[in-house]
């Protein structure tokens, strides 16, 4: 990375602004939140797009997927599974490349635009503290790193997922399901939130409508492939096979990082065992928080995912950020700050080295993730596992006391 000190200072400024806003009780307007959020992202976009270092998957996976669509090829099969999601995002990549934009900019426009939209939606999700929540998300360094520096697809999945929550809260089953389907068309992990979104809907009829819509949208994107690229209907089964596969690469985070000494390993057995532990943990957490507010239930499930998962990338840390900002806990600020520092070391410090230096430093960085996990545990909404009683209303003073006070 060519300008590590400037980038680190920009991210630290965002973190400081979020902390000061909490401490001073700021309630910035939507315009202020958008100006600050867009400003931070644009400055970082210019810096990241001019950098000699670009993320490996951004260059070797995302760009080939967009180029494949532009050339009329299937983005999954043409890249030999380097892109293993539905073609919705490659369609957008291809559109940016088609108008002649450099990839360093074209590949970042969609995640950055989605992240800006999330500033607004986090306020809708928060309700009571929407002004502060919007501003804090606008300044959040995890969101800035994932959407701009790494330019991962997480913000796109999240913008549709959070919008699905907003629609489900108002009882719009088809809209909520379709938005969740769009989230699933970007990345597969929002399937974790499907039971929560469906439970938010008021009747079983609405839930059935939401479930059908959530499944129809990804299926539609899969079926569009023969219409837009050169792939036979028979080849769709091969595409589906890639989409359903999970690569057993471990050693980036948590307990598997200590198992491998902080090195990446293709380890099917720990990955399979870890997946079972992960699914059981998610089921237990979903049951424990079944009566909680849906946002709290989602925060608990996504934080639990980070705590026990056998495989993870730094971009996964963005999953819980909108939900935890919308309904913070006592330790949520500390947990997000620690996660941001850990991710920042990977995005900014480790990128200063060549491959040998990166591999040597990756070991301690991956193992250091164990220091973040206890804070993620503390940040879970433990005190809100059941619906919170409404605040007690002060009873009006007796008429005689009012009359005495007025005299």
């Amino acid at each position: 990375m060519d300008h590590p000190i400037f980038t680190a200072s920009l991210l630290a400024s965002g973190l400081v602004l979020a902390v000061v806003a909490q401490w001073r009780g700021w309630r910035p307007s939507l315009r202020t939140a958008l100006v600050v959020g867009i400003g931070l992202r644009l400055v970082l976009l210019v810096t990241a797009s001019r950098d000699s270092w670009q993320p490996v998957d951004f260059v070797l996976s995302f760009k080939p997927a967009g180029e494949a669509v532009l050339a009329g090829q299937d983005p999954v099969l043409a890249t030999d599974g380097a892109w293993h999601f539905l073609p919705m995002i490659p369609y957008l990549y291809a559109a940016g490349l088609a108008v002649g934009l450099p990839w360093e900019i074209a590949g970042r426009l969609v995640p950055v635009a989605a992240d800006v939209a999330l500033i607004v939606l986090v306020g809708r999700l928060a309700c009571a503290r929407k002004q502060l929540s919007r501003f804090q998300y606008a300044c959040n360094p995890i969101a800035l790193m994932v959407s701009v520096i790494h330019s991962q697809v997480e913000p796109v999945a999240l913008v549709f997922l959070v919008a699905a929550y907003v629609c489900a809260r108002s009882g719009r089953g088809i809209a909520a399901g379709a938005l969740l389907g769009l989230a699933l068309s970007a990345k597969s992990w929002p399937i974790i939130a499907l039971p929560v979104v469906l439970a938010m809907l008021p009747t079983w009829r609405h839930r059935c409508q939401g479930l059908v819509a959530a499944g129809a949208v990804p299926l539609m994107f899969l079926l569009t492939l023969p219409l837009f690229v050169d792939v036979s209907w028979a080849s769709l089964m091969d595409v589906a096979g890639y989409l359903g596969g999970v690569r057993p690469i471990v050693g980036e985070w948590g307990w598997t990082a200590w198992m491998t000494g902080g090195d990446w390993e293709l380890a099917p057995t720990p990955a399979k065992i870890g997946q079972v532990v992960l699914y059981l943990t998610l089921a237990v957490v979903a049951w424990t928080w079944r009566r909680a507010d849906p946002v709290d239930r989602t925060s608990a499930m996504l934080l639990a995912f980070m705590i026990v998962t056998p495989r993870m990338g730094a971009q996964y840390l963005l999953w819980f950020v909108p939900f935890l900002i919308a309904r913070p806990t006592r330790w949520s600020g500390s947990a997000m700050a620690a996660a941001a520092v850990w991710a920042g070391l990977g995005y900014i410090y480790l990128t200063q080295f060549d491959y040998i230096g990166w591999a040597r430093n990756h070991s301690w960085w991956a193992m250091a993730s164990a220091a973040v996990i206890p804070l993620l545990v503390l940040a879970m909404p433990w005190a809100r596992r059941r619906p919170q009683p409404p605040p007690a209303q002060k009873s009006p003073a007796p008429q005689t006391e009012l009359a005495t006070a007025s005299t």
Side-chain angles (χ1 to χ4, degrees):
M1 183 168 286
D2 297 337
H3 307 286
I5 296 177
F6 175 78
T7 302
S9 300
L10 189 70
L11 297 171
S13 299
L15 180 60
V16 169
L17 279 173
V19 171
V20 171
Q22 176 80 35
W23 175 49
R24 299 297 299 269
W26 290 353
R27 296 295 184 269
S29 65
L30 175 60
R31 178 180 297 180
T32 300
L34 287 173
V35 167
V36 172
I38 293 172
L40 288 170
R41 284 156 180 79
L42 284 180
V43 172
L44 200 56
L45 174 62
V46 172
T47 303
S49 64
R50 293 179 176 178
D51 205 319
S52 60
W53 174 86
Q54 298 294 323
V56 174
D57 48 4
F58 181 70
V59 175
L60 299 182
S61 178
F62 303 172
K63 184 180 181 182
E67 290 175 333
V69 172
L70 203 59
Q73 298 175 318
D74 170 67
V76 175
L77 300 180
T79 59
D80 195 23
W83 180 268
H84 53 282
F85 304 105
L86 287 163
M88 181 180 78
I89 301 299
Y91 289 163
L92 298 174
Y93 288 156
L97 291 171
V99 298
L101 291 173
W103 170 248
E104 291 75 14
I105 295 176
R108 289 184 163 92
L109 288 181
V110 174
V112 170
D115 207 46
V116 171
L118 273 169
I119 296 172
V120 180
L121 286 172
V122 167
R124 297 285 301 276
L125 197 65
C127 294
R129 59 190 305 276
K130 62 181 180 181
Q131 294 94 342
L132 179 59
S133 295
R134 288 187 307 228
F135 185 77
Q136 288 186 314
Y137 187 83
C139 301
N140 188 274
I142 300 175
L144 291 168
M145 286 185 284
V146 173
S147 66
V148 187
I149 296 178
H150 200 170
S151 194
Q152 269 284 350
V153 185
E154 262 57 31
V156 183
L158 276 167
V159 75
F160 291 121
L161 181 60
V162 174
Y165 274 69
V166 173
C167 287
R169 186 182 280 166
S170 60
R172 291 177 283 171
I174 296 177
L179 287 164
L180 181 57
L182 287 168
L184 291 170
S185 300
K187 295 291 285 283
S188 57
W189 67 262
I191 194 68
I192 297 170
L194 175 61
V196 183
V197 172
L198 295 179
M200 293 173 68
L201 296 171
T203 66
W204 282 105
R205 182 174 66 87
H206 288 88
R207 291 166 191 160
C208 289
Q209 291 173 342
L211 182 61
V212 170
V217 173
L219 181 61
M220 178 198 71
F221 276 107
L222 182 62
L223 296 178
T224 60
L225 281 172
L227 302 177
F228 295 108
V229 300
D230 184 19
V231 60
S232 66
W233 292 98
S235 299
L236 287 181
M237 294 304 297
D238 296 330
V239 176
Y242 274 114
L243 298 180
V246 176
R247 293 172 295 179
I249 299 174
V250 300
E252 179 84 359
W253 166 273
W255 62 274
T256 60
W258 282 83
M259 181 192 73
T260 65
D263 296 327
W264 279 346
E265 284 188 13
L266 196 64
T269 300
K272 289 179 180 178
I273 294 173
Q275 289 293 108
V276 173
V277 172
L278 175 60
Y279 297 148
L280 290 175
T281 301
L282 289 174
V284 170
V285 171
W287 175 258
T288 304
W289 271 267
R290 67 190 183 280
R291 297 177 181 173
D293 182 275
V295 176
D296 288 332
R297 194 183 321 157
T298 305
S299 293
M301 293 173 67
L302 295 178
L303 286 166
F305 184 104
M306 307 300 157
I307 293 163
V308 303
T309 183
R311 57 183 303 274
M312 201 189 84
Q315 69 271 18
Y316 290 18
L317 293 169
L318 184 60
W319 295 5
F320 59 80
V321 169
F323 300 95
L324 207 54
I325 286 180
R327 286 180 61 86
T329 64
R330 180 179 179 183
W331 290 93
S332 59
S334 300
M336 285 188 285
V341 170
W342 181 82
L345 288 171
Y347 282 128
I348 301 173
Y349 177 70
L350 262 64
T351 56
Q352 302 305 302
F353 300 94
D354 58 17
Y355 179 76
I356 296 175
W358 178 90
R360 183 175 61 251
N361 285 278
H362 179 273
S363 299
W364 67 257
W365 175 69
M367 295 172 70
S369 63
V372 181
I373 289 177
L375 288 170
L376 299 183
V377 175
L378 291 171
M380 295 176 70
W382 296 103
R384 301 200 295 255
R385 286 170 287 174
R386 293 176 178 81
Q388 299 297 300
Q393 298 290 330
K394 292 183 179 181
S395 57
Q399 187 67 31
T400 54
E401 294 183 9
L402 290 175
T404 302
S406 65
T407 58

